[in-house]
Amino acid sequence: MNKAMRGMVGLLLCLGGTPLVSANDSTAALGAGGLVFTKTDAIAMEQEDLFISEDKIRVAYVFRNTTKQDINTRVAFPVPAFPEEPDMDIGLDVKSSNPMGFSVQVDGKKKAFDTEIKKHDGTVNMTHHWMQTFPAGKPLRVVHEYRPATGGEAMLWFQDEERAAKISKYCIEPDFEKWLDKTNQPDKGMVLSPRYVDYILTTGANWKGAIGKFRLTVQKAKAEDKISFCGTGVKKVDARTFVLEKTDFTPEEDLAVMFVHQYKLSE
């Protein structure tokens, strides 16, 4: 169902808005134009445990300051860009100052954060950020959780002009492609409705070295739902849950997950 993560898309060096995309934490500095990501050679990401569903994203990190002195730096987390006036339900209260219910804990304690909001051409770009001390030579556990903004279609559009892009982005294999064609038959009363969740992994390369242990868990809402995403070595844990584990992992491409629901049209 999955293929190898493909070519380098580049290190995210400055704050930008990507629709319906979430991101790894990254160290940051406050510049004149807002938050700017920086790369550190002092703090390693020893572990990243990432959980993704349509309703929740939860990330648990273990960082380690490899130097002999405490490091106090700003950490930034950009949440997905979203429209000020969405023309469909994206599952968020777009008028809220925290539409995704973002929360963060550091070593088991709730952490306060600030939020930078920028609006441009009807789109809202929001980044949560906070000052963080990384103790010398010690692990630091950071956990954050939020509800993702999900893109989607009421009915799967899988025609020629869309097909190649979706096959590439979500690593749709030939058997799954055939199933989509066979099952998505509105004229016969069966409709496929996809939802999309993207996640920026490449900012994980802003930390020192590779991620020591990386674990990705993707969970469907129902056993009969279908999913597709890129990655090698994915294991099925149960009817709804799939896990991918890597060691010494350097993310070279971002993650995109397609969840597909099946509906029977009313007669």
Side-chain angles (χ1 to χ4, degrees):
M1 146 177 121
N2 303 285
K3 298 179 181 178
M5 291 187 176
R6 309 168 307 276
M8 188 71 165
V9 294
L11 188 65
L12 193 62
L13 295 177
C14 60
L15 182 61
T18 305
L20 305 178
V21 174
S22 307
N24 271 328
D25 282 346
S26 179
T27 54
L30 281 176
L35 292 170
V36 178
F37 296 141
T38 59
K39 184 176 175 61
T40 177
D41 291 322
I43 302 169
M45 187 189 294
E46 293 188 335
Q47 296 180 35
E48 178 177 0
D49 192 340
L50 171 61
F51 174 90
I52 293 180
S53 71
E54 294 176 76
D55 299 320
K56 182 172 72 174
I57 290 181
R58 182 180 185 273
V59 195
Y61 303 102
V62 178
F63 296 106
R64 185 178 295 272
N65 175 358
T66 62
T67 72
K68 296 181 179 180
Q69 296 183 336
D70 291 354
I71 295 176
N72 190 40
T73 188
R74 187 170 300 277
V75 175
F77 189 90
V79 300
F82 54 88
E84 287 188 79
E85 302 291 341
D87 56 7
M88 64 175 288
D89 180 15
I90 61 173
L92 304 178
D93 178 6
V94 297
K95 303 300 182 182
S96 169
S97 60
N98 189 4
M100 297 177 190
F102 179 86
S103 65
V104 59
Q105 290 187 350
V106 177
D107 282 342
K109 297 181 180 179
K110 187 175 181 179
K111 180 76 174 182
F113 54 86
D114 295 315
T115 301
E116 178 186 76
I117 301 175
K118 291 184 176 180
K119 297 182 180 181
H120 180 69
D121 291 338
T123 300
V124 180
N125 289 278
M126 183 177 294
T127 300
H128 303 306
H129 59 94
W130 61 94
M131 294 301 297
Q132 182 63 58
T133 298
F134 293 82
K138 296 181 180 180
L140 184 76
R141 290 171 171 79
V142 178
V143 178
H144 51 69
E145 185 174 310
Y146 58 98
R147 179 182 179 89
T150 54
E153 303 169 56
M155 187 181 301
L156 178 65
W157 180 257
F158 204 56
Q159 303 303 315
D160 291 341
E161 59 267 33
E162 294 277 353
R163 183 180 297 261
K166 287 180 178 176
I167 288 174
S168 176
K169 182 173 183 177
Y170 301 104
C171 288
I172 297 173
E173 292 193 341
D175 286 347
F176 187 36
E177 182 183 359
K178 292 177 182 177
W179 181 89
L180 292 172
D181 284 331
K182 180 180 178 181
T183 308
N184 191 45
Q185 300 289 339
D187 57 330
K188 296 181 180 179
M190 179 60 72
V191 170
L192 298 180
S193 178
R195 306 291 288 178
Y196 306 108
V197 176
D198 291 1
Y199 189 89
I200 296 175
L201 282 175
T202 47
T203 49
N206 285 11
W207 304 90
K208 180 181 179 180
I211 301 171
K213 293 182 179 181
F214 174 79
R215 177 184 173 92
L216 167 66
T217 301
V218 179
Q219 190 171 84
K220 303 183 294 184
K222 298 178 181 179
E224 59 266 28
D225 293 342
K226 304 292 185 180
I227 60 172
S228 190
F229 60 95
C230 300
T232 55
V234 178
K235 297 180 180 180
K236 184 177 181 179
V237 176
D238 56 42
R240 298 170 50 226
T241 310
F242 298 81
V243 171
L244 169 67
E245 295 181 306
K246 300 282 187 180
T247 57
D248 296 327
F249 174 56
T250 299
E252 296 181 341
E253 187 169 79
D254 297 324
L255 179 66
V257 183
M258 180 173 73
F259 298 86
V260 181
H261 303 276
Q262 306 173 51
Y263 297 102
K264 288 185 178 180
L265 297 176
S266 300
E267 295 183 359

